[in-house]
Amino acid sequence: ENLYFRDSRFFDMRDAKGRKLFWSRGNGWVMGGLVRMLQVMDKKDPKRPIYTKLFKDMAAKLVTLQKADGYWPASLLDNDPGTPPESSGTAFFTYAFAWGVDNGLLDRATYEPAAIRGWAALGRAVQPDGMLGWVQQVGDRPDSVSAKETQFYGSGAYLLAGTAMYDLAKKRANPR
């Protein structure tokens, strides 16, 4: 699937419709972690191609799972139209896509529009009081989420996405 289960307890778990359970935020941590690793890993490190391939393979799967509204669902394979948004996974994926395009690892024509849709979705998740909503509560699996729910790590992922989108937009406005 080019996605990660939360841990071995989830290998055989399925949702009510028989779909495997791939947690959005958990896979978001992986994508965010891969970005951070690739940022600091020496370009000549013999293991770098392994992490670059993992990043590209996960991105290729994740881009197909983004919903029309720009969000990714809490359970990545839950493509039901009524599935609520989840902003922490969306923020991590937006961050990874924007960074990947900006650094030449991901195809601009495919991933920049997905990053832009993700960023727009995140803007809609900001509540009137300034808090980022639609952040699934602490847990170890996909779970229900609402507009009023937030967590600090959702805000952190939002800030990562914002900085990557800023860098991407800045380079588009001032190409070298």
Side-chain angles (χ1 to χ4, degrees), residues 90-130:
T90 296
F92 279 121
F93 302 141
T94 299
Y95 165 60
F97 286 8
W99 182 87
V101 169
D102 192 34
N103 286 275
L105 292 178
L106 298 177
D107 173 62
R108 182 177 300 278
T110 301
Y111 294 94
E112 186 173 49
I116 291 169
R117 283 191 307 275
W119 184 243
L122 291 167
R124 294 189 308 273
V126 176
Q127 302 300 300
D129 65 0

Side-chain angles (χ1 to χ4, degrees), residues 127-164:
Q127 302 300 300
D129 65 0
M131 295 299 291
L132 180 67
W134 297 106
V135 180
Q136 183 189 316
Q137 295 302 291
V138 174
D140 66 351
R141 67 192 69 212
D143 204 353
S144 64
V145 64
S146 73
K148 299 290 184 201
E149 292 178 301
T150 194
Q151 288 291 323
F152 293 124
Y153 46 73
S155 299
Y158 176 83
L159 293 171
L160 286 172
T163 59

Side-chain angles (χ1 to χ4, degrees), residues 20 35 39 43-45 51-52 54 56 63 103 113 120 139 144 154 158-159 166:
K20 295 176 184 176
V35 168
Q39 287 172 335
K43 298 228 189 281
K44 295 178 184 174
D45 188 307
Y51 293 104
T52 300
L54 177 58
K56 289 179 176 183
V63 76
N103 286 275
S144 64
Y158 176 83
L159 293 171
Y166 174 80

Side-chain angles (χ1 to χ4, degrees), residues 20-87:
K20 295 176 184 176
L21 294 176
F22 292 109
W23 187 27
S24 182
R25 185 168 57 241
N27 279 270
W29 287 116
V30 173
M31 285 299 283
L34 287 168
V35 168
R36 301 298 291 168
M37 285 179 61
L38 291 168
Q39 287 172 335
V40 299
M41 186 178 269
D42 190 296
K43 298 228 189 281
K44 295 178 184 174
D45 188 307
K47 294 190 180 202
R48 186 179 178 90
I50 295 167
Y51 293 104
T52 300
K53 181 179 182 333
L54 177 58
F55 177 77
K56 289 179 176 183
D57 289 348
M58 282 189 74
K61 177 64 174 190
L62 288 164
V63 76
T64 69
L65 301 175
Q66 187 178 31
K67 296 170 50 177
D69 63 6
Y71 290 100
W72 279 264
S75 184
L76 288 171
L77 301 184
D78 184 353
N79 58 2
D80 295 342
T83 300
E86 201 290 312
S87 60

